Amino acid sequence: MSVTRGKITAQWHGYGVTGCNGRRGRFGSWVGHDLSVRWRNPYTFVGTEIAAGILNVFDAEPSINSEIPEYPDDTLDSIRGRTFFVTVKQVW
């Protein structure tokens, strides 16, 4: 879902994994949410974009293999926990 007002866009992403077979066995289901805000051409700096947000907003624990719980699924953002980010992009 995204909402735009002027030069600012807010996006909310929700996604789920219903369980999967990984290199270390079968992992359980997982649900995650990300939030980001993008600002295009801030203060009339044409070609600039600033983005900031949070990956894994609710700090969901990683999916685990029920047979070997010490091996979480390291392919999802959840392995890092809640993660904040800021990026700046300039196009010339």
Side-chain angles (χ1 to χ4, degrees), residues 61-74:
E61 293 293 322
S63 180
I64 61 167
N65 178 344
S66 59
E67 295 174 8
I68 312 170
E70 61 270 12
Y71 292 121
D73 183 358
D74 57 5

Side-chain angles (χ1 to χ4, degrees), residues 3-4 8 10 12-14 17-18 27 29 36-37 50-51 55-56 62 65 67 74-76 79 85 89-90 92:
V3 175
T4 300
I8 297 175
W12 180 271
H13 298 274
V17 178
T18 61
F27 292 88
S29 61
S36 65
V37 176
I50 299 172
L55 302 175
N56 194 9
N65 178 344
E67 295 174 8
D74 57 5
T75 62
L76 301 171
I79 198 75
F85 70 91
K89 180 173 77 172
Q90 176 64 49
W92 305 101

Side-chain angles (χ1 to χ4, degrees), residues 10-33:
Q11 295 179 313
W12 180 271
H13 298 274
Y15 47 94
V17 178
T18 61
C20 59
N21 291 317
R23 60 180 180 221
R24 293 183 178 147
R26 177 94 181 142
F27 292 88
S29 61
W30 187 82
V31 175
H33 300 272

Side-chain angles (χ1 to χ4, degrees), residues 35 51-57 80-87:
L35 174 66
I54 307 168
L55 302 175
N56 194 9
V57 172
R80 293 182 297 249
R82 184 179 298 125
T83 306
F84 299 90
F85 70 91
V86 175
T87 62

